[in-house]
Amino acid sequence: MGHSNSSPSKRGHARRWRLLDLVSGAFFFLVLLFFAMVFTPLGDSLAASGRQTLLLSGADPRQRHRLAAAVEAGRGVEACPAEAVDHMPCEDPRLNSQLSREMNYYRERHCPRPEDTPFCLIPPPDGYRVPVPWPESLHKIWHSNMPHNKIADRKGHQGWMKLEGQHFIFPGGGTMFPDGAEQYIEKLGQYIPISGGVLRTALDMGCGVASFGGYLLSQNILTMSFAPRDSHKAQIQFALERGIPAFVAMLGTRRLPFPAFGFDLVHCSRCLIPFTAYNASYFIEVDRLLRPGGYLVISGPPVQWPKQDKEWSDLQAVARALCYELIAVDGNTVIWKKHAGEACLPNENEFGLELCDDSDDPSQAWYFKLKKCVSRTSSVKGDYAIGSIPKWPERLTATPPRSTLLKNGVDVYEADTKRWVRRVAHYKNSLKIKLGTRSVRNVMDMNALFGGFAAALKSDPVWVMNVVPAQKPPTLDVIFDRGLIGVYHDWCEPFSTYPRSYDLIHVASIESLIKDPASGKSRCNIVDLMVEIDRMLRPEGTVVIRDAPEVIDKVARIASAVRWKPTVYDKEPESHGREKILVATKTFWKL
């Protein structure tokens, strides 16, 4: 057995010296780290990194709850990083690109868990300016507000848009109407009643930068334009910046979030929707949305398109099976009129089309899978067909046909209409909210009921996105019968729009948006909802919130935490109940 030449005492001294060296080294490292953190940019970057980890991580729902509680107590919400300027939580291509391509499933809404949604405020891009006011914005917007040149580069020769100096210019063209939407609409007017108030609500599918809908406004036709977030980056963002009603959506595996038989006109200009694929599921969805007696216009493929004879033949066959009347085929444009009565499907057709049974509710449309059957118009009572429903503008104030289907619906509707006329007058005259001025164009009502708030703005140069919460009575069909537009949505999820979409956001009974109607318990957090409102609101935009005093007190604290300037007012003198009104302005802050 070997032996060491050193004594035990020497070995002990050596160990003590090594330990002392380690302690001394660690001490000097900590001193250097302290000076680096305090006197160099490293400290700032590490702190920012730590804040981002805190604000953007969502591994622990309890941590999210603690952050929300801190904000309710007055802690400010941090800014998101610069790369988040266009962030849309439910249409995030980095996440959704990993999903199935079948029926464009990956382009539909796919929301993260609440705890995985960034808990921070979306900053404006560098050089952001208060948007060009309406109606000038129809023709030009600031380039710096959305510096995405892809569409201008690729579609400029078709009249979509072009870059001139500090502005994007919109000549009004489109792929199927490069000479301008006005000439195209004039051509359609030879076949369908564009003017005169017969048509009011329209849906433009795959809308590009929404020039078609923008130019229909002069005919008093209000168009909901939609397109997915796809390779044509920011097309819906451009539409909203122009002051045109628009919404991010995809016709994929689910019904679109609109009521049955709400649109007087459905339009597709080279939208490339395969209407006859999947047993004509997409044509069936268009039929669900189109009001009896309404018009369907398809321009571009496959209408008399080279090498698409089979697709064009199939499209005509489906229209015949649904008893659509062919109005005209003009070049690459086809126009059909929907039958005003029940669909008259034959016993057999090559697509296997059949009517839905009596249990189908055609207005169910929030995360509702497409059906392979045709919705019965008889399943929704009322005289709401084109020709039966009043013309615009009488339609706005006449009792909507489908309001009579609700318990005491007519009385509630009439009381609601009068209430909002009184309230909006108070907003303008006493609270000095900028409604009716050039400062407000894009408006959202987050809890619309019958659209009374929007109807009271009829003489203002605005359009209103009327949102009916998915967990509340489905009154969106009444809103469409009035000649207004909107969508279903659950406010425990982010909305399908880009940041900085709206000039004014209005919500009555904000707490009801997050509570379960049956149990009364909160389904999500009001702080997350207000962070989402901030995402949708433009810098210097206005928020109007009405609710009970204790709710408004909480909302006011959160408003300051998200960098708004809130003021709390008493309700109108004529109003009943316990209510206060918060009016807040979003500050124009920058990174």
Side-chain angles (χ1 to χ4, degrees), residues 157-183:
H157 66 287
Q158 296 173 348
W160 284 42
M161 55 187 288
K162 57 185 177 179
L163 179 60
E164 287 188 3
Q166 294 183 310
H167 294 99
F168 278 123
I169 304 298
F170 297 87
T175 302
M176 295 306 299
F177 44 93
D179 295 328
E182 288 179 300
Q183 291 185 29

Side-chain angles (χ1 to χ4, degrees), residues 3 17 91 104 107 116 150 167 172 200 204 209 219 239 248 262 286 302 358 421 480 498 531:
H3 297 274
W17 278 110
E91 287 85 9
N104 282 308
R107 285 184 173 175
D116 290 332
K150 187 174 182 179
H167 294 99
R200 168 62 179 173
D204 190 14
V209 293
Q219 302 293 335
V248 176
V286 168
D358 293 335
V421 169
F480 275 81
Y498 283 86
V531 168

Side-chain angles (χ1 to χ4, degrees), residues 134 137-139 151 159-161 170-175 177 180-182 184-185 203-217 221-227 232 234-247 267 269 441 463:
W134 180 266
S137 61
L138 178 64
H139 308 290
I151 299 180
W160 284 42
M161 55 187 288
F170 297 87
T175 302
F177 44 93
E182 288 179 300
Y184 176 69
I185 292 168
L203 181 67
D204 190 14
M205 304 182 293
C207 62
V209 293
S211 288
F212 178 72
Y215 282 91
L216 276 177
L217 288 168
I221 294 178
L222 188 59
T223 305
M224 177 74 81
S225 299
F226 82 84
H232 293 324
Q235 52 188 327
I236 293 300
Q237 193 176 21
F238 285 120
L240 288 163
E241 185 78 3
R242 297 175 71 189
I244 302 171
F247 178 69
H267 175 259
S269 173
R441 170 63 184 170
W463 68 272

Side-chain angles (χ1 to χ4, degrees), residues 44-94:
D44 293 335
S45 63
L46 287 175
S49 176
R51 282 196 301 271
Q52 285 186 25
T53 300
L54 179 67
L55 297 170
L56 302 180
S57 68
D60 184 1
R62 292 171 297 180
Q63 173 68 359
R64 181 77 169 209
H65 181 75
R66 286 192 291 270
L67 282 171
V71 171
E72 286 190 33
R75 173 181 168 176
V77 180
E78 296 282 353
C80 300
E83 58 268 23
V85 291
D86 294 327
H87 183 59
M88 299 172 61
C90 299
E91 287 85 9
D92 188 339
R94 296 170 302 175

Side-chain angles (χ1 to χ4, degrees), residues 510-529:
I510 188 171
E511 198 168 54
S512 72
L513 303 183
I514 64 171
K515 286 197 171 182
D516 181 87
S519 68
K521 294 181 179 179
S522 293
R523 303 178 299 117
C524 53
N525 195 288
I526 196 169
V527 175
D528 285 322
L529 177 56

Side-chain angles (χ1 to χ4, degrees), residues 418-420 422-424 426-427 546 570-581:
K418 293 176 182 176
R419 181 184 304 117
W420 282 109
R422 184 175 67 247
R423 287 177 171 181
V424 167
H426 180 71
Y427 288 173
R546 326 174 51 102
D570 291 328
K571 65 181 185 299
E572 304 84 8
E574 306 90 345
S575 292
H576 302 290
R578 297 174 61 252
E579 218 177 24
K580 284 190 176 292
I581 304 168

